[in-house]
Amino acid sequence: MPSKRHPNTSSTPSSTTNTSSSAPAITSRPAVSKNPNTASPQEILAGMWRNYDSTTPQRVKLIDTFMAFLVLVGVLQFVYCVLVGNYPFNAFLSGFSATVGQFVLTASLRIQTNPENSDEFKSLSHERAFADFILGSLILHFFCVNFIN
């Protein structure tokens, strides 16, 4: 379906005049000015990393490292299942659900122990949050081991 063409108005000047009705008119574009506040993606990522490195406590960085490890393990399990096969499918489901469940429990621990969230978790100590994390992990892995059969 051909697009609708609107006649040129006097407010939008064109650089060339088109006498043929089949070819569209070529309009001039103003030069794009460089904004001094723009940054490349590498500079943005480097700035994010410097901010994360300077403001994040060591305990939270350790939890984040464990969460990155869990993501890597989950991706490897999924790739292995796709490439090699999923013959003992319940073993794949058990391992993958253990990885995802452990990630969720670790994310909960990170939220509860992050000093920036101390206003929301005033009555919960770091030791209690870690004890809940350990108990949840034991229950999760108990169900995963029993699911393998």
Side-chain angles (χ1 to χ4, degrees):
M1 177 177 206
S3 62
K4 296 181 183 180
R5 296 183 186 209
H6 299 287
N8 287 342
T9 60
S10 61
S11 64
T12 58
S14 64
S15 63
T16 60
T17 307
N18 188 4
T19 56
S20 153
S21 63
S22 63
I26 300 173
T27 59
S28 65
R29 292 185 180 177
V32 178
S33 63
K34 286 282 191 178
N35 187 355
N37 293 331
T38 60
S40 69
Q42 292 85 11
E43 292 172 346
I44 293 171
L45 288 175
M48 286 174 54
W49 178 255
R50 282 191 303 271
N51 185 25
Y52 172 80
D53 194 36
S54 65
T55 60
T56 306
Q58 191 67 27
R59 180 183 294 179
V60 177
K61 287 180 188 176
L62 183 65
I63 293 173
D64 290 343
T65 304
F66 183 59
M67 290 175 72
F69 170 74
L70 289 171
V71 168
L72 179 69
V73 168
V75 168
L76 287 175
Q77 285 177 347
F78 184 76
V79 168
Y80 180 83
C81 180
V82 169
L83 294 178
V84 176
N86 58 0
Y87 166 62
F89 190 64
N90 58 345
F92 165 71
L93 282 180
S94 179
F96 193 74
S97 62
T99 303
V100 172
Q102 193 65 45
F103 182 86
V104 170
L105 289 171
T106 307
S108 175
L109 177 67
R110 184 190 193 279
I111 290 170
Q112 291 175 2
T113 59
N114 193 349
E116 294 178 1
N117 299 334
S118 62
D119 293 339
E120 295 180 30
F121 299 103
K122 289 179 184 175
S123 63
L124 185 67
S125 68
H126 294 289
E127 291 80 14
R128 170 67 192 266
F130 189 70
D132 290 344
F133 170 76
I134 294 296
L135 181 64
S137 296
L138 287 174
I139 293 171
L140 170 72
H141 287 88
F142 174 75
F143 281 110
C144 290
V145 167
N146 283 328
F147 187 73
I148 290 175
N149 200 5

mmCIF file of all heavy atoms in Angstrom, residues 33-78:
data_model
loop_
_atom_site.group_PDB
_atom_site.id
_atom_site.type_symbol
_atom_site.label_atom_id
_atom_site.label_comp_id
_atom_site.label_asym_id
_atom_site.label_seq_id
_atom_site.Cartn_x
_atom_site.Cartn_y
_atom_site.Cartn_z
ATOM 1 N N SER A 33 24.892 18.050 16.022
ATOM 2 C CA SER A 33 25.901 18.601 16.921
ATOM 3 C C SER A 33 26.279 17.565 17.961
ATOM 4 O O SER A 33 25.435 16.833 18.457
ATOM 5 C CB SER A 33 25.374 19.864 17.603
ATOM 6 O OG SER A 33 24.264 19.529 18.393
ATOM 7 N N LYS A 34 27.536 17.481 18.258
ATOM 8 C CA LYS A 34 28.019 16.555 19.283
ATOM 9 C C LYS A 34 27.687 17.104 20.653
ATOM 10 O O LYS A 34 28.032 18.228 20.989
ATOM 11 C CB LYS A 34 29.541 16.371 19.174
ATOM 12 C CG LYS A 34 29.941 15.522 18.017
ATOM 13 C CD LYS A 34 29.717 14.090 18.377
ATOM 14 C CE LYS A 34 30.357 13.189 17.342
ATOM 15 N NZ LYS A 34 30.205 11.830 17.673
ATOM 16 N N ASN A 35 27.033 16.295 21.454
ATOM 17 C CA ASN A 35 26.708 16.678 22.815
ATOM 18 C C ASN A 35 27.900 16.313 23.697
ATOM 19 O O ASN A 35 28.347 15.169 23.680
ATOM 20 C CB ASN A 35 25.452 15.942 23.264
ATOM 21 C CG ASN A 35 24.954 16.406 24.608
ATOM 22 O OD1 ASN A 35 25.586 17.226 25.265
ATOM 23 N ND2 ASN A 35 23.815 15.886 25.007
ATOM 24 N N PRO A 36 28.423 17.244 24.459
ATOM 25 C CA PRO A 36 29.589 16.902 25.291
ATOM 26 C C PRO A 36 29.269 15.920 26.411
ATOM 27 O O PRO A 36 30.169 15.349 27.000
ATOM 28 C CB PRO A 36 30.035 18.251 25.851
ATOM 29 C CG PRO A 36 28.818 19.109 25.796
ATOM 30 C CD PRO A 36 28.029 18.628 24.608
ATOM 31 N N ASN A 37 27.993 15.679 26.702
ATOM 32 C CA ASN A 37 27.622 14.772 27.783
ATOM 33 C C ASN A 37 27.445 13.332 27.307
ATOM 34 O O ASN A 37 27.138 12.464 28.101
ATOM 35 C CB ASN A 37 26.330 15.244 28.457
ATOM 36 C CG ASN A 37 26.528 16.553 29.180
ATOM 37 O OD1 ASN A 37 27.618 16.852 29.641
ATOM 38 N ND2 ASN A 37 25.470 17.339 29.262
ATOM 39 N N THR A 38 27.592 13.080 26.018
ATOM 40 C CA THR A 38 27.440 11.720 25.539
ATOM 41 C C THR A 38 28.711 10.930 25.809
ATOM 42 O O THR A 38 29.810 11.458 25.802
ATOM 43 C CB THR A 38 27.137 11.689 24.025
ATOM 44 O OG1 THR A 38 28.212 12.313 23.328
ATOM 45 C CG2 THR A 38 25.841 12.395 23.715
ATOM 46 N N ALA A 39 28.537 9.638 26.046
ATOM 47 C CA ALA A 39 29.674 8.770 26.332
ATOM 48 C C ALA A 39 29.487 7.458 25.586
ATOM 49 O O ALA A 39 28.362 7.054 25.287
ATOM 50 C CB ALA A 39 29.786 8.506 27.828
ATOM 51 N N SER A 40 30.575 6.805 25.313
ATOM 52 C CA SER A 40 30.515 5.521 24.628
ATOM 53 C C SER A 40 30.037 4.445 25.613
ATOM 54 O O SER A 40 30.127 4.617 26.834
ATOM 55 C CB SER A 40 31.886 5.160 24.077
ATOM 56 O OG SER A 40 32.771 4.871 25.131
ATOM 57 N N PRO A 41 29.548 3.335 25.088
ATOM 58 C CA PRO A 41 29.105 2.261 25.991
ATOM 59 C C PRO A 41 30.229 1.746 26.900
ATOM 60 O O PRO A 41 29.974 1.381 28.040
ATOM 61 C CB PRO A 41 28.632 1.165 25.034
ATOM 62 C CG PRO A 41 28.250 1.890 23.787
ATOM 63 C CD PRO A 41 29.181 3.058 23.694
ATOM 64 N N GLN A 42 31.462 1.738 26.390
ATOM 65 C CA GLN A 42 32.584 1.288 27.222
ATOM 66 C C GLN A 42 32.809 2.240 28.393
ATOM 67 O O GLN A 42 33.095 1.798 29.507
ATOM 68 C CB GLN A 42 33.873 1.184 26.393
ATOM 69 C CG GLN A 42 33.860 0.085 25.364
ATOM 70 C CD GLN A 42 33.197 0.520 24.053
ATOM 71 O OE1 GLN A 42 32.930 1.695 23.836
ATOM 72 N NE2 GLN A 42 32.939 -0.435 23.185
ATOM 73 N N GLU A 43 32.675 3.532 28.135
ATOM 74 C CA GLU A 43 32.843 4.503 29.225
ATOM 75 C C GLU A 43 31.729 4.373 30.252
ATOM 76 O O GLU A 43 31.966 4.515 31.454
ATOM 77 C CB GLU A 43 32.875 5.919 28.659
ATOM 78 C CG GLU A 43 34.103 6.231 27.832
ATOM 79 C CD GLU A 43 33.995 7.568 27.130
ATOM 80 O OE1 GLU A 43 32.879 8.135 27.066
ATOM 81 O OE2 GLU A 43 35.026 8.049 26.641
ATOM 82 N N ILE A 44 30.523 4.103 29.787
ATOM 83 C CA ILE A 44 29.393 3.935 30.704
ATOM 84 C C ILE A 44 29.600 2.709 31.579
ATOM 85 O O ILE A 44 29.427 2.758 32.798
ATOM 86 C CB ILE A 44 28.073 3.847 29.921
ATOM 87 C CG1 ILE A 44 27.780 5.189 29.248
ATOM 88 C CG2 ILE A 44 26.929 3.439 30.828
ATOM 89 C CD1 ILE A 44 26.623 5.148 28.288
ATOM 90 N N LEU A 45 30.000 1.583 30.948
ATOM 91 C CA LEU A 45 30.240 0.365 31.725
ATOM 92 C C LEU A 45 31.404 0.533 32.690
ATOM 93 O O LEU A 45 31.347 0.049 33.826
ATOM 94 C CB LEU A 45 30.505 -0.809 30.787
ATOM 95 C CG LEU A 45 29.289 -1.325 30.017
ATOM 96 C CD1 LEU A 45 29.703 -2.401 29.025
ATOM 97 C CD2 LEU A 45 28.241 -1.839 30.963
ATOM 98 N N ALA A 46 32.459 1.234 32.260
ATOM 99 C CA ALA A 46 33.594 1.473 33.153
ATOM 100 C C ALA A 46 33.171 2.340 34.336
ATOM 101 O O ALA A 46 33.581 2.099 35.476
ATOM 102 C CB ALA A 46 34.738 2.127 32.394
ATOM 103 N N GLY A 47 32.329 3.322 34.095
ATOM 104 C CA GLY A 47 31.823 4.158 35.187
ATOM 105 C C GLY A 47 30.935 3.386 36.141
ATOM 106 O O GLY A 47 31.019 3.570 37.365
ATOM 107 N N MET A 48 30.108 2.499 35.594
ATOM 108 C CA MET A 48 29.268 1.658 36.460
ATOM 109 C C MET A 48 30.132 0.739 37.318
ATOM 110 O O MET A 48 29.846 0.551 38.502
ATOM 111 C CB MET A 48 28.302 0.832 35.611
ATOM 112 C CG MET A 48 27.162 1.611 35.029
ATOM 113 S SD MET A 48 26.131 0.665 33.898
ATOM 114 C CE MET A 48 25.684 -0.751 34.852
ATOM 115 N N TRP A 49 31.178 0.161 36.717
ATOM 116 C CA TRP A 49 32.051 -0.740 37.465
ATOM 117 C C TRP A 49 32.791 0.008 38.571
ATOM 118 O O TRP A 49 32.916 -0.498 39.686
ATOM 119 C CB TRP A 49 33.038 -1.437 36.534
ATOM 120 C CG TRP A 49 33.969 -2.323 37.292
ATOM 121 C CD1 TRP A 49 35.275 -2.082 37.588
ATOM 122 C CD2 TRP A 49 33.651 -3.567 37.913
ATOM 123 N NE1 TRP A 49 35.784 -3.107 38.329
ATOM 124 C CE2 TRP A 49 34.811 -4.034 38.546
ATOM 125 C CE3 TRP A 49 32.491 -4.332 37.981
ATOM 126 C CZ2 TRP A 49 34.846 -5.228 39.237
ATOM 127 C CZ3 TRP A 49 32.535 -5.518 38.670
ATOM 128 C CH2 TRP A 49 33.702 -5.955 39.292
ATOM 129 N N ARG A 50 33.291 1.220 38.267
ATOM 130 C CA ARG A 50 33.992 2.013 39.293
ATOM 131 C C ARG A 50 33.047 2.366 40.433
ATOM 132 O O ARG A 50 33.422 2.298 41.605
ATOM 133 C CB ARG A 50 34.579 3.285 38.679
ATOM 134 C CG ARG A 50 35.860 3.075 37.908
ATOM 135 C CD ARG A 50 36.523 4.396 37.550
ATOM 136 N NE ARG A 50 35.652 5.271 36.784
ATOM 137 C CZ ARG A 50 35.563 5.274 35.446
ATOM 138 N NH1 ARG A 50 36.298 4.455 34.745
ATOM 139 N NH2 ARG A 50 34.744 6.103 34.833
ATOM 140 N N ASN A 51 31.803 2.732 40.107
ATOM 141 C CA ASN A 51 30.824 3.063 41.138
ATOM 142 C C ASN A 51 30.496 1.829 41.981
ATOM 143 O O ASN A 51 30.429 1.905 43.207
ATOM 144 C CB ASN A 51 29.562 3.623 40.483
ATOM 145 C CG ASN A 51 28.557 4.103 41.498
ATOM 146 O OD1 ASN A 51 28.902 4.458 42.616
ATOM 147 N ND2 ASN A 51 27.308 4.121 41.101
ATOM 148 N N TYR A 52 30.293 0.677 41.327
ATOM 149 C CA TYR A 52 30.008 -0.561 42.050
ATOM 150 C C TYR A 52 31.185 -0.938 42.945
ATOM 151 O O TYR A 52 31.003 -1.313 44.100
ATOM 152 C CB TYR A 52 29.718 -1.682 41.048
ATOM 153 C CG TYR A 52 29.586 -3.049 41.672
ATOM 154 C CD1 TYR A 52 28.408 -3.432 42.294
ATOM 155 C CD2 TYR A 52 30.636 -3.960 41.639
ATOM 156 C CE1 TYR A 52 28.278 -4.684 42.864
ATOM 157 C CE2 TYR A 52 30.517 -5.206 42.207
ATOM 158 C CZ TYR A 52 29.337 -5.567 42.822
ATOM 159 O OH TYR A 52 29.215 -6.795 43.395
ATOM 160 N N ASP A 53 32.387 -0.837 42.417
ATOM 161 C CA ASP A 53 33.579 -1.234 43.166
ATOM 162 C C ASP A 53 33.829 -0.326 44.365
ATOM 163 O O ASP A 53 34.273 -0.778 45.416
ATOM 164 C CB ASP A 53 34.793 -1.237 42.230
ATOM 165 C CG ASP A 53 35.975 -1.952 42.834
ATOM 166 O OD1 ASP A 53 35.757 -2.965 43.534
ATOM 167 O OD2 ASP A 53 37.107 -1.506 42.609
ATOM 168 N N SER A 54 33.526 0.955 44.226
ATOM 169 C CA SER A 54 33.833 1.887 45.315
ATOM 170 C C SER A 54 32.733 1.962 46.372
ATOM 171 O O SER A 54 33.015 2.287 47.521
ATOM 172 C CB SER A 54 34.099 3.282 44.748
ATOM 173 O OG SER A 54 32.931 3.799 44.144
ATOM 174 N N THR A 55 31.486 1.662 46.006
ATOM 175 C CA THR A 55 30.388 1.859 46.962
ATOM 176 C C THR A 55 29.815 0.568 47.537
ATOM 177 O O THR A 55 29.101 0.620 48.534
ATOM 178 C CB THR A 55 29.230 2.639 46.308
ATOM 179 O OG1 THR A 55 28.746 1.907 45.181
ATOM 180 C CG2 THR A 55 29.681 4.021 45.876
ATOM 181 N N THR A 56 30.102 -0.578 46.934
ATOM 182 C CA THR A 56 29.508 -1.830 47.388
ATOM 183 C C THR A 56 30.380 -2.469 48.462
ATOM 184 O O THR A 56 31.583 -2.617 48.272
ATOM 185 C CB THR A 56 29.344 -2.797 46.208
ATOM 186 O OG1 THR A 56 28.620 -2.138 45.176
ATOM 187 C CG2 THR A 56 28.601 -4.041 46.625
ATOM 188 N N PRO A 57 29.779 -2.867 49.587
ATOM 189 C CA PRO A 57 30.557 -3.541 50.642
ATOM 190 C C PRO A 57 31.091 -4.894 50.173
ATOM 191 O O PRO A 57 30.537 -5.525 49.263
ATOM 192 C CB PRO A 57 29.543 -3.719 51.773
ATOM 193 C CG PRO A 57 28.412 -2.833 51.467
ATOM 194 C CD PRO A 57 28.403 -2.632 50.000
ATOM 195 N N GLN A 58 32.153 -5.343 50.802
ATOM 196 C CA GLN A 58 32.812 -6.589 50.418
ATOM 197 C C GLN A 58 31.881 -7.792 50.565
ATOM 198 O O GLN A 58 31.906 -8.707 49.749
ATOM 199 C CB GLN A 58 34.071 -6.786 51.274
ATOM 200 C CG GLN A 58 34.957 -7.894 50.793
ATOM 201 C CD GLN A 58 35.590 -7.597 49.449
ATOM 202 O OE1 GLN A 58 35.786 -6.453 49.090
ATOM 203 N NE2 GLN A 58 35.902 -8.630 48.710
ATOM 204 N N ARG A 59 31.044 -7.802 51.586
ATOM 205 C CA ARG A 59 30.117 -8.919 51.809
ATOM 206 C C ARG A 59 29.123 -9.034 50.656
ATOM 207 O O ARG A 59 28.833 -10.130 50.181
ATOM 208 C CB ARG A 59 29.367 -8.705 53.121
ATOM 209 C CG ARG A 59 28.376 -9.811 53.429
ATOM 210 C CD ARG A 59 27.612 -9.537 54.682
ATOM 211 N NE ARG A 59 28.501 -9.573 55.836
ATOM 212 C CZ ARG A 59 28.117 -9.343 57.064
ATOM 213 N NH1 ARG A 59 26.872 -9.034 57.323
ATOM 214 N NH2 ARG A 59 28.969 -9.394 58.057
ATOM 215 N N VAL A 60 28.625 -7.909 50.173
ATOM 216 C CA VAL A 60 27.670 -7.920 49.066
ATOM 217 C C VAL A 60 28.375 -8.327 47.771
ATOM 218 O O VAL A 60 27.803 -9.038 46.936
ATOM 219 C CB VAL A 60 26.979 -6.545 48.942
ATOM 220 C CG1 VAL A 60 26.043 -6.500 47.755
ATOM 221 C CG2 VAL A 60 26.213 -6.220 50.214
ATOM 222 N N LYS A 61 29.624 -7.915 47.601
ATOM 223 C CA LYS A 61 30.386 -8.338 46.416
ATOM 224 C C LYS A 61 30.584 -9.852 46.404
ATOM 225 O O LYS A 61 30.515 -10.478 45.340
ATOM 226 C CB LYS A 61 31.751 -7.647 46.381
ATOM 227 C CG LYS A 61 31.700 -6.192 46.021
ATOM 228 C CD LYS A 61 33.111 -5.625 46.031
ATOM 229 C CE LYS A 61 33.103 -4.139 45.861
ATOM 230 N NZ LYS A 61 34.446 -3.562 45.957
ATOM 231 N N LEU A 62 30.816 -10.433 47.562
ATOM 232 C CA LEU A 62 30.975 -11.883 47.650
ATOM 233 C C LEU A 62 29.677 -12.591 47.265
ATOM 234 O O LEU A 62 29.690 -13.583 46.522
ATOM 235 C CB LEU A 62 31.408 -12.278 49.060
ATOM 236 C CG LEU A 62 31.676 -13.750 49.299
ATOM 237 C CD1 LEU A 62 32.866 -14.217 48.476
ATOM 238 C CD2 LEU A 62 31.938 -13.991 50.770
ATOM 239 N N ILE A 63 28.557 -12.087 47.730
ATOM 240 C CA ILE A 63 27.255 -12.657 47.368
ATOM 241 C C ILE A 63 27.014 -12.501 45.873
ATOM 242 O O ILE A 63 26.516 -13.425 45.211
ATOM 243 C CB ILE A 63 26.136 -12.013 48.217
ATOM 244 C CG1 ILE A 63 26.289 -12.406 49.686
ATOM 245 C CG2 ILE A 63 24.764 -12.406 47.706
ATOM 246 C CD1 ILE A 63 25.346 -11.699 50.629
ATOM 247 N N ASP A 64 27.364 -11.353 45.308
ATOM 248 C CA ASP A 64 27.198 -11.136 43.871
ATOM 249 C C ASP A 64 28.058 -12.091 43.058
ATOM 250 O O ASP A 64 27.634 -12.576 42.003
ATOM 251 C CB ASP A 64 27.535 -9.692 43.512
ATOM 252 C CG ASP A 64 26.509 -8.705 44.023
ATOM 253 O OD1 ASP A 64 25.386 -9.122 44.373
ATOM 254 O OD2 ASP A 64 26.828 -7.497 44.078
ATOM 255 N N THR A 65 29.257 -12.383 43.536
ATOM 256 C CA THR A 65 30.125 -13.337 42.851
ATOM 257 C C THR A 65 29.505 -14.728 42.851
ATOM 258 O O THR A 65 29.521 -15.432 41.834
ATOM 259 C CB THR A 65 31.513 -13.368 43.508
ATOM 260 O OG1 THR A 65 32.053 -12.043 43.512
ATOM 261 C CG2 THR A 65 32.455 -14.302 42.788
ATOM 262 N N PHE A 66 28.934 -15.124 43.975
ATOM 263 C CA PHE A 66 28.272 -16.428 44.051
ATOM 264 C C PHE A 66 27.057 -16.470 43.127
ATOM 265 O O PHE A 66 26.792 -17.484 42.471
ATOM 266 C CB PHE A 66 27.875 -16.738 45.495
ATOM 267 C CG PHE A 66 27.245 -18.091 45.673
ATOM 268 C CD1 PHE A 66 27.928 -19.246 45.325
ATOM 269 C CD2 PHE A 66 25.969 -18.211 46.184
ATOM 270 C CE1 PHE A 66 27.352 -20.505 45.480
ATOM 271 C CE2 PHE A 66 25.387 -19.450 46.346
ATOM 272 C CZ PHE A 66 26.077 -20.600 45.995
ATOM 273 N N MET A 67 26.318 -15.367 43.029
ATOM 274 C CA MET A 67 25.171 -15.311 42.126
ATOM 275 C C MET A 67 25.618 -15.409 40.670
ATOM 276 O O MET A 67 24.955 -16.085 39.864
ATOM 277 C CB MET A 67 24.363 -14.042 42.377
ATOM 278 C CG MET A 67 23.633 -14.047 43.700
ATOM 279 S SD MET A 67 22.797 -12.507 44.066
ATOM 280 C CE MET A 67 21.451 -12.578 42.915
ATOM 281 N N ALA A 68 26.727 -14.777 40.322
ATOM 282 C CA ALA A 68 27.255 -14.898 38.957
ATOM 283 C C ALA A 68 27.675 -16.336 38.674
ATOM 284 O O ALA A 68 27.453 -16.849 37.564
ATOM 285 C CB ALA A 68 28.428 -13.936 38.766
ATOM 286 N N PHE A 69 28.273 -17.005 39.661
ATOM 287 C CA PHE A 69 28.639 -18.413 39.515
ATOM 288 C C PHE A 69 27.398 -19.272 39.275
ATOM 289 O O PHE A 69 27.404 -20.174 38.427
ATOM 290 C CB PHE A 69 29.392 -18.897 40.756
ATOM 291 C CG PHE A 69 29.594 -20.374 40.807
ATOM 292 C CD1 PHE A 69 30.520 -20.997 39.989
ATOM 293 C CD2 PHE A 69 28.839 -21.153 41.671
ATOM 294 C CE1 PHE A 69 30.702 -22.370 40.032
ATOM 295 C CE2 PHE A 69 29.013 -22.525 41.725
ATOM 296 C CZ PHE A 69 29.945 -23.134 40.893
ATOM 297 N N LEU A 70 26.316 -18.998 40.001
ATOM 298 C CA LEU A 70 25.087 -19.768 39.817
ATOM 299 C C LEU A 70 24.495 -19.552 38.429
ATOM 300 O O LEU A 70 23.974 -20.496 37.814
ATOM 301 C CB LEU A 70 24.066 -19.401 40.897
ATOM 302 C CG LEU A 70 24.393 -19.888 42.307
ATOM 303 C CD1 LEU A 70 23.421 -19.286 43.317
ATOM 304 C CD2 LEU A 70 24.365 -21.403 42.374
ATOM 305 N N VAL A 71 24.568 -18.343 37.923
ATOM 306 C CA VAL A 71 24.087 -18.079 36.564
ATOM 307 C C VAL A 71 24.921 -18.871 35.561
ATOM 308 O O VAL A 71 24.387 -19.497 34.632
ATOM 309 C CB VAL A 71 24.121 -16.567 36.249
ATOM 310 C CG1 VAL A 71 23.899 -16.305 34.771
ATOM 311 C CG2 VAL A 71 23.077 -15.828 37.068
ATOM 312 N N LEU A 72 26.243 -18.870 35.738
ATOM 313 C CA LEU A 72 27.128 -19.620 34.849
ATOM 314 C C LEU A 72 26.826 -21.121 34.889
ATOM 315 O O LEU A 72 26.742 -21.779 33.841
ATOM 316 C CB LEU A 72 28.583 -19.363 35.222
ATOM 317 C CG LEU A 72 29.628 -20.111 34.399
ATOM 318 C CD1 LEU A 72 29.649 -19.576 32.977
ATOM 319 C CD2 LEU A 72 30.989 -19.978 35.047
ATOM 320 N N VAL A 73 26.604 -21.664 36.071
ATOM 321 C CA VAL A 73 26.281 -23.084 36.208
ATOM 322 C C VAL A 73 24.947 -23.394 35.534
ATOM 323 O O VAL A 73 24.807 -24.408 34.829
ATOM 324 C CB VAL A 73 26.269 -23.503 37.694
ATOM 325 C CG1 VAL A 73 25.648 -24.878 37.881
ATOM 326 C CG2 VAL A 73 27.672 -23.477 38.251
ATOM 327 N N GLY A 74 23.965 -22.535 35.709
ATOM 328 C CA GLY A 74 22.667 -22.749 35.062
ATOM 329 C C GLY A 74 22.767 -22.712 33.548
ATOM 330 O O GLY A 74 22.163 -23.546 32.860
ATOM 331 N N VAL A 75 23.545 -21.787 33.017
ATOM 332 C CA VAL A 75 23.735 -21.711 31.562
ATOM 333 C C VAL A 75 24.462 -22.961 31.063
ATOM 334 O O VAL A 75 24.087 -23.537 30.032
ATOM 335 C CB VAL A 75 24.493 -20.415 31.188
ATOM 336 C CG1 VAL A 75 24.962 -20.447 29.750
ATOM 337 C CG2 VAL A 75 23.624 -19.200 31.437
ATOM 338 N N LEU A 76 25.489 -23.386 31.780
ATOM 339 C CA LEU A 76 26.214 -24.587 31.372
ATOM 340 C C LEU A 76 25.314 -25.830 31.400
ATOM 341 O O LEU A 76 25.390 -26.675 30.504
ATOM 342 C CB LEU A 76 27.436 -24.802 32.255
ATOM 343 C CG LEU A 76 28.611 -23.852 32.021
ATOM 344 C CD1 LEU A 76 29.703 -24.099 33.046
ATOM 345 C CD2 LEU A 76 29.140 -24.012 30.618
ATOM 346 N N GLN A 77 24.476 -25.944 32.408
ATOM 347 C CA GLN A 77 23.556 -27.081 32.471
ATOM 348 C C GLN A 77 22.587 -27.060 31.297
ATOM 349 O O GLN A 77 22.308 -28.097 30.680
ATOM 350 C CB GLN A 77 22.772 -27.059 33.783
ATOM 351 C CG GLN A 77 23.559 -27.488 34.980
ATOM 352 C CD GLN A 77 22.747 -27.386 36.253
ATOM 353 O OE1 GLN A 77 21.681 -26.772 36.297
ATOM 354 N NE2 GLN A 77 23.245 -27.991 37.313
ATOM 355 N N PHE A 78 22.076 -25.885 30.973
ATOM 356 C CA PHE A 78 21.130 -25.779 29.868
ATOM 357 C C PHE A 78 21.806 -26.089 28.539
ATOM 358 O O PHE A 78 21.258 -26.820 27.705
ATOM 359 C CB PHE A 78 20.500 -24.387 29.848
ATOM 360 C CG PHE A 78 19.456 -24.228 28.794
ATOM 361 C CD1 PHE A 78 18.202 -24.788 28.959
ATOM 362 C CD2 PHE A 78 19.732 -23.548 27.621
ATOM 363 C CE1 PHE A 78 17.227 -24.659 27.982
ATOM 364 C CE2 PHE A 78 18.768 -23.411 26.636
ATOM 365 C CZ PHE A 78 17.516 -23.965 26.818
#
